[in-house]
Amino acid sequence: WLYGIASYILPIFFLNILFGISLSALTLIHIAIGSALLIIFIISNYSKVFDVDISMIFKSNGLLKLLCIMLTANYIFLQTIFPLRGWDALNFYIPIGLDYYLRDDVFFDFNLFTLFPSFKAPISSLMISYNMYFSNQLQQNLGHVIFIIMLGIMIVRYCEIKGYSENIRLYSYLIYLTAPMTYTYFHDMVYYQDHIIGFFYAMTMFSLIEKDNIENSRLIFMISFSLSI
């Protein structure tokens, strides 16, 4: 969160002051919800330091679960209405994925739509071409955003194995979804391959570190490690 604020929010606010460049309403709402959650999390877990007790507000974790569902649905909804985006995606991944689909083959030469060489990692292009086989559409590609959500679920699972309370697990999921870097990545680069590879790499490390607490950890490790490479 601190890194995200320093690298994303503060520069935007300074640009807004100097040049009148403003954030969209959705981004402002997203940042406001995340900031409020972070403040509530800090105060409720360090109430003795702040001499404030607001734990009664979240005595039942029903509200936290509702926020988790709403923010997850928000990512999925935004993915269905946002346009195709990202420079690399528009120039490489999406055209190459479309070319894979039209040729019904995976190739490594020049893309017919952009005349760029197909040297980018093919995982995002394959995701796009797989989506077209099922839907015949480029736009509503939910596969990429699902990996962002699954990374959050992995965080929750890790907290569960470590014995953290349910409230802490829900807070961790919410803070991850509302973190400036997560939202910025989704907003600008969701069609990239970084979070997909990152998911399998994280799963590899997770299964290795917690091998004694995960059933079939060797199988998960082998599959995740091979996919991350």
Side-chain angles (χ1 to χ4, degrees):
W1 252 97
L2 293 175
Y3 178 78
I5 290 173
S7 63
Y8 174 59
I9 297 177
L10 291 180
I12 292 294
F13 281 140
F14 284 125
L15 287 174
N16 182 35
I17 294 172
L18 294 175
F19 303 106
I21 300 174
S22 59
L23 292 169
S24 67
L26 282 174
T27 304
L28 286 171
I29 293 171
H30 199 93
I31 293 172
I33 293 173
S35 302
L37 285 169
L38 186 63
I39 293 170
I40 292 172
F41 172 77
I42 293 172
I43 294 177
S44 62
N45 285 277
Y46 298 94
S47 56
K48 292 182 180 179
V49 177
F50 292 96
D51 196 25
V52 177
D53 186 10
I54 60 170
S55 58
M56 291 299 294
I57 298 176
F58 291 103
K59 187 175 183 180
S60 172
N61 54 26
L63 179 57
L64 291 176
K65 290 180 179 178
L66 178 61
L67 286 173
C68 287
I69 294 172
M70 290 176 63
L71 283 173
T72 302
N74 179 61
Y75 270 98
I76 295 173
F77 171 71
L78 291 178
Q79 177 65 4
T80 62
I81 64 173
F82 276 5
L84 300 171
R85 55 203 184 274
W87 193 92
D88 279 6
L90 294 175
N91 287 278
F92 291 100
Y93 303 128
I94 294 171
I96 292 172
L98 179 59
D99 217 349
Y100 286 167
Y101 172 73
L102 294 176
R103 294 192 190 193
D104 198 23
D105 188 21
V106 176
F107 62 93
F108 297 95
D109 52 12
F110 284 87
N111 182 267
L112 297 178
F113 296 99
T114 62
L115 299 180
F116 285 142
S118 306
F119 63 87
K120 288 286 187 178
I123 185 167
S124 286
S125 300
L126 288 172
M127 287 282 294
I128 291 165
S129 61
Y130 293 158
N131 178 74
M132 292 197 67
Y133 277 108
F134 289 102
S135 66
N136 291 322
Q137 295 183 22
L138 278 172
Q139 178 62 39
Q140 295 182 3
N141 193 332
L142 298 179
H144 288 76
V145 74
I146 292 300
F147 278 95
I148 293 178
I149 295 170
M150 287 195 298
L151 274 167
I153 295 173
M154 190 187 305
I155 293 172
V156 174
R157 175 60 178 154
Y158 181 78
C159 292
E160 182 180 1
I161 289 178
K162 287 301 183 181
Y164 293 111
S165 66
E166 187 175 14
N167 274 12
I168 296 294
R169 299 198 297 268
L170 294 173
Y171 273 126
S172 66
Y173 183 70
L174 288 171
I175 291 173
Y176 161 75
L177 284 185
T178 57
M181 293 305 294
T182 305
Y183 182 79
T184 305
Y185 181 87
F186 164 77
H187 190 277
D188 297 331
M189 299 178 289
V190 72
Y191 289 98
Y192 289 21
Q193 80 282 356
D194 303 66
H195 64 296
I196 301 175
I197 298 173
F199 169 78
F200 289 115
Y201 179 76
M203 183 68 78
T204 300
M205 300 305 296
F206 185 35
S207 60
L208 183 63
I209 295 171
E210 298 295 334
K211 60 184 178 181
D212 297 329
N213 299 316
I214 301 176
E215 189 177 352
N216 299 321
S217 60
R218 289 186 179 182
L219 178 62
I220 296 173
F221 173 81
M222 289 187 292
I223 295 174
S224 301
F225 184 64
S226 61
L227 290 173
S228 66
I229 294 176

